[in-house]
Amino acid sequence: MQNETDKGLTAKSLHSDPISWVEKYADYLYGFAMSRLRDEDVAKDLVQDTFLAGLQRLNRFEGNSEEKTWLTAILKNKIADFYRKRSAINLKAVGIEDERQDFFDAESGHWTEKDYPRAFGLEVDNPLMMKELGNILNECLAKLPGLWFSVFSMKHMDDLASELICTELKLTAANFWVIMHRTKLNLRACLQKNWN
Amino acid sequence: MTSALKNIIYNCRQATFLIEKRIAGKITAAETLQLHVHLAGCSVCKIYQQQSILINKVFVGFGNADFKLDEAFKKTLTEKIEKEINKN
């Protein structure tokens, strides 16, 4: 490892060694991006953008934090930008005010019979089963409107405060909770449909 | 019985809304009571609640390590970085 680091002579005085970035951090950053975006092409783009942005700011990196932490912070900003753009595109298309009687009877608020949640019949301590469920969940996530995915992901992946997500994505608190509710209803229905 | 309580006993839409709000944020004491009463009598929403929590677990638990870049992409990326460095 030390030999690898020594190759980056140009950057040595700058507390960082970009030559070794890909080898050291590319998989980690890609995993970080994928777990938040679930889109290979976008994740690859953002990893590349992160490295290039890092290069440009190299002289400002003072070695106060770990290189990995520093690059991850850049990536986080890129992901937030991506969410913002994606939600702007979809904001009009989703029609979140349109809470129709999907899943529920319009008057009583009862589950409509065809939409009754039924037990998945899975063993939560069976890793293979859980992995399979994860794969199906991924496919279901891909079908969500971009804004919904962004809201859901920011909330659960990054554990952000709801207020912060509302500010970032320009949502009211009421809209935020409608989206959280609709997202989960749709994800659950999609899992039920595709499981078994 | 208050009307809010009466409303929720049969209202699964409202109950599932409160379930989500409780999982991802917080609900008031009154809402907690309403939800409690609803869930006591609604097995379908109980299943919903279990599955909703499970979905969050699976979503968050999909570890970063499960994703790896292909070598071809890494090679291109390294070359791009080298090119950028040599520019300066």
Side-chain angles (χ1 to χ4, degrees):
Chain A
M1 218 52 191
Q2 195 51 46
N3 288 341
E4 299 290 340
T5 320
D6 286 340
K7 271 191 241 162
L9 291 171
T10 46
K12 245 196 153 194
S13 56
L14 292 164
H15 314 283
S16 186
D17 174 23
I19 301 285
S20 65
W21 279 358
V22 172
E23 187 198 332
K24 282 189 196 157
Y25 310 121
D27 277 329
Y28 170 78
L29 293 174
Y30 178 67
F32 187 94
M34 272 302 280
S35 63
R36 284 156 180 79
L37 299 161
R38 309 296 157 111
D39 183 317
E40 288 179 22
D41 294 333
V42 177
K44 281 180 177 176
D45 278 352
L46 293 191
V47 170
Q48 177 172 317
D49 290 352
T50 298
F51 285 142
L52 296 180
L55 279 178
Q56 281 179 352
R57 295 178 215 167
L58 206 53
N59 54 351
R60 278 188 268 153
F61 177 67
E62 291 166 343
N64 293 334
S65 59
E66 297 250 353
E67 225 175 15
K68 188 175 173 183
T69 315
W70 178 64
L71 288 168
T72 309
I74 298 176
L75 176 61
K76 272 188 193 163
N77 280 327
K78 301 264 169 217
I79 293 172
D81 281 345
F82 174 82
Y83 280 146
R84 268 193 291 272
K85 277 182 205 147
R86 185 147 110 169
S87 64
I89 292 167
N90 284 280
L91 201 51
K92 282 182 198 143
V94 275
I96 44 171
E97 75 288 351
D98 177 23
E99 178 139 11
R100 285 167 307 179
Q101 60 272 36
D102 318 348
F103 307 111
F104 303 103
D105 182 273
E107 280 182 20
S108 70
H110 256 306
W111 288 97
T112 38
E113 202 171 335
K114 66 173 174 49
D115 296 310
Y116 272 12
R118 293 189 305 271
F120 291 156
L122 54 74
E123 301 143 24
V124 284
D125 46 7
N126 179 335
L128 280 178
M129 237 182 201
M130 293 307 281
K131 191 160 176 60
E132 179 58 19
L133 190 72
N135 289 336
I136 298 174
L137 182 63
N138 258 357
E139 288 165 27
C140 295
L141 285 162
K143 289 181 202 159
L144 289 177
L147 176 64
W148 295 16
F149 179 85
S150 299
V151 170
F152 188 72
S153 181
M154 287 170 100
K155 182 70 207 169
H156 292 299
M157 265 306 178
D158 296 309
D159 202 20
L160 294 180
S162 311
E163 295 78 17
L164 184 65
I165 299 173
C166 290
T167 314
E168 293 250 320
L169 299 178
K170 298 188 177 70
L171 291 170
T172 64
N175 278 347
F176 172 84
W177 288 112
V178 169
I179 290 173
M180 290 291 281
H181 186 209
R182 301 296 292 170
T183 298
K184 191 61 75 62
L185 285 168
N186 278 281
L187 281 179
R188 202 215 59 79
C190 176
L191 274 182
Q192 178 159 308
K193 196 174 148 202
N194 293 291
W195 182 250
N196 295 323
Chain B
M1 203 184 287
T2 67
S3 68
L5 200 48
K6 220 182 276 173
N7 280 342
I8 195 174
I9 289 179
Y10 301 109
N11 193 327
C12 300
R13 186 206 308 276
Q14 180 63 10
T16 53
F17 182 80
L18 290 181
I19 287 170
E20 293 312 319
K21 213 171 169 184
R22 181 163 72 173
I23 291 174
K26 52 176 184 275
I27 57 178
T28 65
E31 286 170 333
T32 306
L33 175 67
Q34 291 167 25
L35 185 56
H36 187 77
V37 171
H38 182 93
L39 286 176
C42 182
S43 59
V44 183
C45 282
K46 259 191 236 159
I47 294 178
Y48 174 90
Q49 178 169 252
Q50 283 168 3
Q51 292 176 341
S52 178
I53 293 167
L54 177 71
I55 289 170
N56 285 3
K57 264 194 202 143
V58 174
F59 182 70
V60 176
F62 228 70
N64 298 6
D66 291 336
F67 305 104
K68 291 266 183 292
L69 279 168
D70 54 279
E71 290 307 314
F73 181 78
K74 283 191 198 170
K75 192 161 172 279
T76 322
L77 200 51
T78 309
E79 285 163 6
K80 272 186 189 153
I81 290 176
E82 282 170 0
K83 210 172 136 196
E84 279 298 310
I85 293 173
N86 292 333
K87 258 196 215 166
N88 305 323

